């Protein structure tokens, strides 16, 4: 019985692998470059690319449960559907798929719409899966830390509706719990969706206030400038991705990322502990090295 983790060297995938290893699971990691994988001892490595059908077929051989994570790339949807079709061919019946919260609401945001399409295919193909729908990752704040500390401004236009930001370590642990639950079940479990949220819903002003408290000096909220966000992001990511992030930011302003009743309690019950807080995360990344 083997659990295969795609995206195993990324922020989420690496956490999933580590949590599975802690729980004694038989883990196989799908990676592009095994020499750079640097995964825990005992993890089997399968070299594959999700657009290379032959390599994915080989990676899926003997797998009982699949964690499917697709990076935000132009052909994300094609990669995901190829993986689903090859998983069905391999007889894999147990899945955990990493989607995104409000994938059915942010319909004009490319990487949200792609994930919602994958969710529909999982249902249409009759897969037994847990669909995890995480909100905004706290870990994204690593990209803006220097701007906050250097210029005294919180630059992400997250608006006043609020985002229920979640720590990637909590996502990894919940994913591992679900993978093992499905792996060890006598029969494949029914499809379900789980929103992955943090313990509080943060507005731009609230995020700036937390940074102010942690740093001991005033940090201002930079405002709801999504065009400025796109311009800044284009300095270190492709134009199509920067635009995708801008459109997402516009939906932050109109809809936010709001938990449903009971989400926090459900996750706390799964973890057996409180969810990691934004304040603690900011204190961790802002601490002197």
């Amino acid at each position: 019985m083997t659990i295969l983790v795609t995206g195993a060297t990324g922020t989420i995938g690496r956490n999933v692998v580590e949590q599975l290893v802690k729980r004694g699971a038989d883990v196989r990691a799908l990676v592009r470059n095994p020499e750079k994988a640097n995964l825990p001892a005992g993890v089997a490595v399968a070299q594959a690319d999700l657009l290379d059908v032959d390599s994915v077929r080989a990676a899926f051989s003997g797998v009982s449960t699949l964690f499917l994570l697709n990076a935000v790339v132009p052909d994300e949807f094609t990669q995901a559907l190829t993986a689903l079709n090859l998983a069905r061919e391999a007889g894999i019946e147990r899945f955990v798929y990493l989607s995104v919260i409000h994938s059915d609401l942010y319909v004009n945001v490319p990487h949200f719409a792609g994930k919602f399409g994958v969710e529909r295919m999982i249902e249409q193909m009759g897969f037994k899966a847990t669909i995890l729908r995480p909100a905004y990752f706290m870990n994204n704040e690593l990209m803006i830390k220097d701007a906050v500390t250097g210029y005294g401004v919180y630059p992400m236009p997250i608006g006043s509706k609020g985002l229920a930001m979640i720590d990637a370590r909590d996502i990894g642990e919940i994913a591992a719990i679900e993978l093992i639950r499905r792996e060890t079940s006598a029969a494949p479990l029914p499809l379900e969706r789980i929103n992955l949220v943090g313990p509080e819903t943060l507005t731009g002003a609230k995020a700036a206030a937390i940074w102010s408290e942690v740093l001991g000096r005033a940090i201002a909220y930079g405002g709801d400038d999504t065009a400025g966000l796109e311009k800044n992001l284009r300095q270190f990511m492709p134009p199509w991705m920067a635009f995708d992030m801008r459109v997402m930011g516009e939906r932050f302003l109109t809809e936010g990322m709001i938990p449903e009743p009971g989400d926090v309690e459900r996750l706390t019950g799964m973890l057996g502990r409180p969810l990691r807080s934004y304040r603690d995360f900011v204190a961790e990344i802002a601490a002197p090295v």
Side-chain angles (χ1 to χ4, degrees), residues 37-57:
N38 192 29
L39 293 167
V43 174
V45 173
Q47 184 173 10
D49 184 296
L50 289 176
L51 292 177
D52 180 346
V53 170
D54 292 339
S55 70
V56 175
R57 274 200 177 107

Side-chain angles (χ1 to χ4, degrees), residues 27-273:
V27 185
R28 185 183 301 170
L30 190 151
V31 303
R32 288 184 179 180
N33 188 342
E35 293 178 0
K36 296 182 179 179
N38 192 29
L39 293 167
V43 174
V45 173
Q47 184 173 10
D49 184 296
L50 289 176
L51 292 177
D52 180 346
V53 170
D54 292 339
S55 70
V56 175
R57 274 200 177 107
F60 282 4
S61 178
V63 168
S64 48
T65 303
L66 174 65
F67 178 70
L68 182 59
L69 178 160
N70 297 99
V72 178
V73 291
D75 49 17
E76 175 181 354
F77 190 57
T78 299
Q79 289 189 24
L81 296 194
T82 300
L84 288 178
N85 281 297
L86 291 172
R88 182 167 65 176
E89 178 186 285
I92 302 171
E93 295 184 287
R94 300 156 191 251
F95 281 86
V96 173
Y97 172 60
L98 193 76
S99 183
V100 64
I101 198 170
H102 304 330
S103 60
D104 52 340
L105 181 64
Y106 284 41
V107 291
N108 64 319
V109 181
H111 73 283
F112 281 64
K115 287 178 169 61
F116 186 54
V118 177
E119 289 190 29
R120 291 176 57 215
M121 287 305 300
I122 288 171
E123 290 183 300
Q124 292 285 330
M125 294 171 79
F127 283 121
K128 309 297 185 184
T130 298
I131 296 172
L132 299 177
R133 288 178 148 189
Y136 191 83
F137 300 171
M138 289 181 192
N139 304 63
N140 292 336
E141 306 296 69
L142 289 165
M143 294 188 297
I144 63 166
K145 181 186 78 167
D146 290 347
V148 176
T149 57
Y151 297 97
V153 174
Y154 180 83
M156 285 299 296
I158 63 176
S160 59
K161 297 286 186 180
L163 309 184
M165 295 190 200
I166 181 168
D167 192 306
R169 291 168 292 189
D170 286 346
I171 297 174
E173 189 167 348
I174 292 163
I177 289 167
E178 276 300 296
L179 284 162
I180 290 175
R181 186 174 75 94
R182 289 191 173 273
E183 169 82 347
T184 57
S185 172
L189 300 168
L191 183 143
E192 66 177 309
R193 288 178 169 85
I194 302 175
N195 288 336
L196 301 187
V197 297
E200 60 184 328
T201 302
L202 297 151
T203 63
K206 178 63 176 175
I210 289 172
W211 277 96
S212 298
E213 292 167 14
V214 169
L215 295 175
R217 55 190 172 90
I219 302 298
Y221 175 52
D224 302 342
D225 182 9
T226 55
L229 173 68
E230 179 188 4
K231 181 180 178 181
N232 290 333
L233 291 178
R234 285 180 67 134
Q235 297 175 48
F236 58 90
M237 65 175 59
W240 65 265
M241 185 181 286
F243 182 69
D244 191 331
M245 298 302 116
R246 173 184 179 168
V247 178
M248 177 178 71
E250 290 167 356
R251 300 309 290 260
F252 288 169
L253 304 183
T254 56
E255 272 84 32
M257 285 183 164
I258 311 298
E260 294 177 13
D263 281 346
V264 172
E265 293 76 11
R266 180 183 191 180
L267 301 176
T268 301
M270 291 176 70
L271 292 167
R273 60 166 174 80

